[in-house]
Amino acid sequence: MHRADSAGKPIIDAAASPLLANLNPEQLAAVTLPPQPALILAGAGSGKTRVLTTRIAWLLATGQVSPGGVLAVTFTNKAAKEMLTRLAAMLPINVRGMWIGTFHGLCNRLLRAHWKLAALPQSFQILDSADQVSAVKRVIKAMNLDEERYVPRQVAWFIAGNKEEGLRPRDVQAHDPPTRKMIEIYQAYEDQCQREGVVDFAELMLRAFELLRDNDPLREHYQRRFAHVLVDEFQDTNSLQYRWLKLFAPPPGAASTLAGQPAQGVFAVGDDDQSIYAFRGAQVENILGFEKEFPDAKIVILGQNYRSSATIVSAADAVIRHNSGRAPKRLFTGNDPGSRIRLFRADSEYDEARFVANGVREMVVERGLRPSQIAVFYRTNALSRLIEHQLVKASVPYQVARGVAFYQRKEIKDALAYARVIANPLDEVSLLRIINVPPRGIGKTTVERLAANAAETQRPLREVIADAADIPEVKRAARELLAFAQFLADAEVTARHGTIRDLLEFLVRNSGRIALYSKDDEESALEN
């Protein structure tokens, strides 16, 4: 336990704890704050992840909280993994069970634990953005609407935008007939997802929020459990994410069941100057209004930059200080001045590309740098063509660092879709993805007739496929459909009696996908 003075405030001896070594005074103040709401305004490169992680380690090491009493939220899996890795290096604890992750990851965990209360099947599946658009397409088709007027991707954005505001179809205001129709599609989409046991990413957040908001005993349980609620990149939170976070914050003076210590509330780390995601719902007002939300909050400003040269930091500070509606802070650094900033105003995109290519060639030929030591950033992929052309003319080798993420590759999404169908037979998005992959003689017309029969008879699509021999409209493809249904049934037997590895190997080998990807031009897909 940490030592305390007569007023109960901890006495901080930085030399006595390796955790606090090499922290600057502002970082030390943030890490060792007493339990109370806090806003850490962390300028770019000021070590905010280090502060957040060290704060958790300090609370654990001084006995102010147990691992199960911490809820830490960030925005990317990479950031969450980095926090867990750093914590494991700082303390001899098992971090695997700690509630540290992304908003969506933690909401998924919450819903998995309380799936009945959330009105979800235990094996509910998660739709990615492409699957969501496919699901919306099916709704639009079932409603006999024109896809050119109700573009599936735009409808998906409409649905996600309203969910991120915490709005169900009944809550959305219909100001005109087109909006009213969009709300009807939203409602039909919700009904379809509930029927099939699937959720999209926005639904994870909204369903988890509603679960806690509407269930007093459950909410109070988690308020007692999590004595410390910490959030990274606070400037990127949207309205619903912030409301969800506040549901975990215990009432002032409440004690944690696990820690037996005063509860902190929300410990938020962010920077209003780095808020660039307003287009996807982020509300910088969450930072600017934090003190109104938590009147007893402590504000700590981290202004020392450790990442950039003094020239870069000074220029950034000179630009950003003119912004209105920001918390006052000054960026500074102890780093060397570094190179001067160069600005080139090109007369055309061709002139710009030549300038970049010549600059790269100069660094390679005259300064002896390797091409792999040089990075060229451009705003959109469409801008790369001219730059690539000029690099070729300058005889500079290059590699374009772009491509499809591994789990977004078609062959991987197909493999996961097979597994999803076995885990959740009602998942029609995944079923429709794999029904003719690889090609097995089940064409688009057959699929449409199956879907129509399923809608008319109010039966799951899997059940309709298994009864294909009795459906005259698909008689020509009945043999292929019955073979597909038997394949899925055999896979379910493997899932019941084998391991996950057994199931995946069965699905890959018996679906015909090995043969599909064994062609020369598909070898990378086979390897994946």
Side-chain angles (χ1 to χ4, degrees):
M1 291 291 290
H2 58 283
R3 294 182 296 124
D5 60 19
S6 57
K9 294 183 178 180
I11 299 172
I12 308 302
D13 182 2
S17 174
L19 292 174
L20 307 181
N22 302 317
L23 295 179
N24 67 35
E26 292 76 22
Q27 291 173 334
L28 179 64
V31 167
T32 58
L33 281 173
Q36 67 184 110
L39 175 62
I40 314 303
L41 290 171
S46 61
K48 62 180 179 59
T49 302
R50 181 185 185 191
V51 165
L52 193 67
T53 308
T54 308
R55 169 70 172 175
I56 298 172
W58 168 254
L59 293 170
L60 294 170
T62 54
Q64 297 181 65
V65 71
S66 65
V70 173
L71 175 70
V73 194
T74 187
F75 274 84
T76 67
N77 290 318
K78 181 180 178 182
K81 185 177 180 180
E82 182 181 352
M83 287 175 62
L84 289 168
T85 301
R86 289 191 187 189
L87 267 178
M90 289 178 172
L91 298 173
I93 60 171
N94 182 0
V95 299
R96 291 189 64 184
M98 294 185 69
W99 282 62
I100 296 177
T102 64
F103 278 99
H104 291 107
L106 293 175
C107 285
N108 181 38
R109 183 170 179 175
L110 188 69
L111 294 175
R112 297 287 177 192
H114 306 287
W115 54 274
K116 281 187 178 179
L117 288 175
L120 288 169
Q122 188 172 12
S123 60
F124 71 84
Q125 303 296 314
I126 303 171
L127 303 177
D128 64 17
S129 56
D131 291 336
Q132 183 188 12
V133 172
S134 296
V136 169
K137 278 185 177 181
R138 288 196 288 125
V139 170
I140 292 172
K141 189 174 185 65
M143 294 176 69
N144 294 316
L145 298 174
D146 183 0
E147 279 193 23
E148 291 189 4
R149 184 173 183 183
Y150 298 98
V151 180
R153 188 168 298 278
Q154 293 177 0
V155 175
W157 291 341
F158 173 84
I159 293 171
N162 280 292
K163 286 187 178 185
E164 287 169 1
E165 290 294 324
L167 302 176
R168 292 294 183 191
R170 62 180 177 274
D171 305 317
V172 182
Q173 296 296 315
H175 300 293
D176 50 54
T179 304
R180 191 173 297 113
K181 184 59 68 175
M182 293 279 273
I183 295 171
E184 290 178 18
I185 299 172
Y186 181 8
Q187 183 63 64
Y189 169 80
E190 280 217 326
D191 295 341
Q192 175 179 283
C193 288
Q194 188 67 29
R195 190 166 60 247
E196 297 176 3
V198 297
V199 299
D200 55 44
F201 282 115
E203 182 69 20
L204 282 175
M205 193 79 236
L206 180 53
R207 187 78 64 116
F209 167 75
E210 292 171 339
L211 174 67
L212 293 176
R213 181 197 64 189
D214 301 336
N215 193 307
D216 293 344
L218 188 67
R219 182 178 67 256
E220 290 163 4
H221 162 75
Y222 281 108
Q223 287 177 344
R224 289 191 300 270
R225 171 172 181 166
F226 295 126
H228 293 269
V229 178
L230 306 96
V231 57
D232 193 12
E233 305 289 4
F234 186 57
Q235 76 279 354
D236 291 337
T237 53
N238 62 30
S239 172
L240 185 61
Q241 288 164 342
Y242 190 23
R243 289 159 64 191
W244 180 77
L245 279 171
K246 288 189 291 184
L247 288 176
F248 286 100
S256 162
T257 299
L258 298 185
Q261 296 286 334
Q264 169 188 283
V266 176
F267 182 97
V269 181
D271 182 11
D272 52 326
D273 291 335
Q274 297 182 61
S275 180
I276 61 173
Y277 292 117
F279 68 91
R280 68 182 190 194
Q283 295 185 335
V284 70
E285 293 81 9
N286 293 343
I287 278 187
L288 301 177
F290 192 85
E291 289 181 89
K292 291 182 180 178
E293 193 73 43
F294 300 98
D296 58 338
K298 177 70 174 177
I299 309 298
V300 178
I301 296 176
L302 307 181
Q304 183 171 0
N305 180 290
Y306 291 92
R307 180 188 304 152
S308 305
S309 68
T311 300
I312 294 294
V313 172
S314 176
D317 187 58
V319 171
I320 205 72
R321 73 169 63 136
H322 296 290
N323 282 9
S324 59
R326 67 184 289 260
K329 71 182 77 68
R330 185 179 71 85
L331 296 179
F332 64 95
T333 185
N335 295 340
D336 293 335
S339 302
R340 296 180 64 188
I341 297 171
R342 297 174 63 193
L343 173 64
F344 175 73
R345 180 173 292 177
D347 293 329
S348 68
E349 62 268 36
Y350 302 98
D351 196 20
E352 180 181 58
R354 277 193 298 270
F355 173 80
V356 171
N358 290 338
V360 172
R361 190 173 188 277
E362 177 186 318
M363 285 186 278
V364 172
V365 174
E366 297 182 12
R367 294 170 53 184
L369 292 179
R370 297 189 305 275
S372 60
Q373 293 178 290
I374 302 168
V376 176
F377 291 87
Y378 43 84
R379 187 170 52 83
T380 67
N381 287 336
L383 297 175
S384 73
R385 184 182 64 83
L386 288 174
I387 296 174
E388 290 183 60
H389 178 67
Q390 291 297 329
L391 288 173
V392 170
K393 287 182 66 176
S395 300
V396 176
Y398 67 89
Q399 180 178 358
V400 179
R402 70 179 181 210
V404 182
F406 181 78
Y407 284 100
Q408 293 301 314
R409 293 181 182 274
K410 181 181 184 303
E411 63 272 13
I412 301 303
K413 291 195 69 173
D414 289 344
L416 292 175
Y418 272 97
R420 286 170 181 263
V421 168
I422 303 307
N424 178 12
L426 297 177
D427 183 353
E428 294 189 3
V429 171
S430 297
L431 182 62
L432 291 172
R433 182 182 183 93
I434 63 168
I435 193 169
N436 202 39
V437 176
R440 48 174 62 93
I442 304 173
K444 182 179 178 181
T445 301
T446 298
V447 172
E448 290 177 352
R449 290 171 178 171
L450 289 169
N453 186 279
E456 182 181 340
T457 60
Q458 293 292 297
R459 293 189 298 163
L461 191 58
R462 277 281 297 275
E463 188 177 317
V464 173
I465 292 172
D467 292 342
D470 300 324
I471 303 174
E473 294 85 355
V474 296
K475 188 174 183 180
R476 292 180 61 181
R479 184 167 60 88
E480 289 79 7
L481 290 167
L482 293 176
F484 179 60
Q486 185 60 52
F487 160 71
L488 295 179
D490 293 342
E492 287 175 336
V493 172
T494 303
R496 283 196 296 270
H497 300 290
T499 64
I500 292 177
R501 182 187 182 94
D502 294 333
L503 172 62
L504 292 176
E505 287 185 346
F506 177 91
L507 292 172
V508 170
R509 296 186 183 284
N510 293 281
S511 64
R513 296 173 71 239
I514 292 289
L516 176 67
Y517 296 137
S518 293
K519 305 169 187 175
D520 291 341
D521 59 345
E522 296 283 4
E523 285 184 354
S524 62
L526 180 61
E527 184 179 341
N528 288 338

